[in-house]
């Protein structure tokens, strides 16, 4: 069974540009979570999608947004990139209501110059 | 709000040494508790979990027991190997597919 996949592996953008990151969950999983792992800041929750709807978001500005498609894959968009957005962005998926485990993808390394 | 506190790293041990990484949490209610491991250049892997008080999670020689009275979930391994070198994250989560709340991570280096 394929795990969570993310693309691209690396992304280099300049300040002010937009970045789009993609995630495909494990087959059968309906929930997708996005986390930011910035140097020295640990893992911060960004967004949670389930059944196509945004269920919760962390303490991030509105320029961080995303969506979930009918096949449960997800996209994270970061507008007006700032230098401090440079981080590893991790996607995780989990099964239906009541499932406890989240399974993580390998991440997308975003570098803003 | 809910939070997880882990011991500060880095932790450096010799091969075959005993490992303890402390983790305590603050939460309203009774969350599930997890340890995740991140090897260099990779994403997070679930190492073990416990869903209720006194549960013991175990995997690959690692163990952790959910202690409600001390709100702790310390990670232990009796004999570490060089291949255990990684960053370890303690996390909590409530039911209903809510997001994970992570500690800041503890970097472990095991030297031969």
């Amino acid at each position: 069974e394929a795990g969570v996949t993310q693309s691209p592996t690396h992304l280099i953008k300049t300040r002010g540009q937009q970045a789009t990151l993609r995630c495909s969950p494990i087959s059968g999983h309906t929930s997708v979570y996005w986390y930011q792992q910035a140097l020295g800041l640990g893992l911060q929750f960004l967004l949670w999608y389930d059944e196509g709807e945004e269920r919760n978001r962390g303490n991030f500005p509105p320029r961080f947004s995303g969506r979930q498609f009918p096949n449960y894959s997800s996209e994270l968009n970061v507008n007006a990139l700032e230098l401090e957005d440079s981080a590893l962005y991790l996607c995780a998926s989990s099964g239906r209501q009541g499932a406890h485990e989240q399974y993580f993808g390998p991440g997308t390394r975003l570098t803003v110059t | 709000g809910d939070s997880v506190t882990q011991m500060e790293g880095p932790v450096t041990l010799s091969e075959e040494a005993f490992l303890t990484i402390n983790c305590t949490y603050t939460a309203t209610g009774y969350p599930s508790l997890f340890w995740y491991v991140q090897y260099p250049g990779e994403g997070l892997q679930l190492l073990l979990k416990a869903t209720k008080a006194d549960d013991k999670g175990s995997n690959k020689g690692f163990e952790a027991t959910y202690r409600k009275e001390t709100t702790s979930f310390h990670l232990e391994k009796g004999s570490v190997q060089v291949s255990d070198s990684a960053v370890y994250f303690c996390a909590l989560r409530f039911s209903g597919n809510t997001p994970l709340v992570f500690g800041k991570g503890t970097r472990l280096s095991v030297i031969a």
Side-chain angles (χ1 to χ4, degrees):
Chain A
E1 179 183 281
V4 177
T5 60
Q6 292 187 243
S7 63
T9 304
H10 294 93
L11 191 56
I12 300 174
K13 295 284 186 179
T14 56
R15 197 168 53 182
Q17 285 188 317
Q18 180 200 41
T20 298
L21 290 64
R22 296 180 177 83
C23 171
S24 291
I26 290 172
S27 177
H29 284 188
T30 62
S31 278
V32 170
Y33 309 79
W34 288 95
Y35 295 87
Q36 182 195 65
Q37 187 177 21
L39 199 61
L41 294 178
L43 281 143
Q44 306 291 323
F45 164 67
L46 260 168
L47 289 160
W48 168 27
Y49 292 95
D50 182 62
E51 299 281 3
E53 301 285 331
E54 182 180 303
R55 301 295 183 186
N56 200 357
R57 66 180 293 129
N59 189 25
F60 282 84
R63 57 192 186 81
F64 287 84
S65 65
R67 53 180 170 165
Q68 186 177 34
F69 299 99
N71 66 355
Y72 303 116
S73 67
S74 176
E75 197 172 84
L76 173 68
N77 294 294
V78 188
N79 293 319
L81 284 165
E82 301 179 2
L83 296 177
E84 54 264 34
D85 297 333
S86 294
L88 181 67
Y89 289 84
L90 292 166
C91 171
S93 73
S94 69
R96 296 195 177 273
Q97 196 82 350
H100 294 281
E101 293 88 354
Q102 290 185 13
Y103 297 89
F104 283 79
T108 292
R109 171 74 61 187
L110 172 63
T111 301
V112 182
T113 61
Chain B
D2 303 327
S3 65
V4 175
T5 302
Q6 285 181 241
M7 62 186 290
E8 297 275 333
V11 174
T12 302
L13 295 173
S14 298
E15 210 166 21
E16 299 183 4
F18 185 86
L19 168 72
T20 300
I21 300 178
N22 290 338
C23 170
T24 58
Y25 68 89
T26 302
T28 51
Y30 302 106
S32 294
L33 301 173
F34 305 84
W35 277 100
Y36 281 85
V37 58
Q38 186 176 33
Y39 296 103
E42 299 184 11
L44 271 68
Q45 297 178 23
L46 177 64
L47 182 59
L48 54 84
K49 68 172 185 177
T51 58
K52 62 182 187 297
D54 300 325
D55 266 2
K56 177 186 282 189
S58 61
N59 186 25
K60 300 181 181 180
F62 291 90
E63 292 184 340
T65 301
Y66 190 142
R67 301 286 189 199
K68 187 177 71 172
E69 62 277 11
T70 55
T71 62
S72 64
F73 193 55
H74 305 322
L75 182 68
E76 296 182 336
K77 187 175 185 182
S79 177
V80 294
Q81 305 300 312
V82 172
S83 57
D84 294 327
S85 298
V87 180
Y88 292 82
F89 292 91
C90 184
L92 66 80
R93 183 187 187 199
F94 288 95
S95 61
N97 283 7
T98 54
L100 286 158
V101 176
F102 286 94
K104 290 190 179 297
T106 302
R107 182 175 299 278
L108 170 67
S109 294
V110 181
I111 53 177

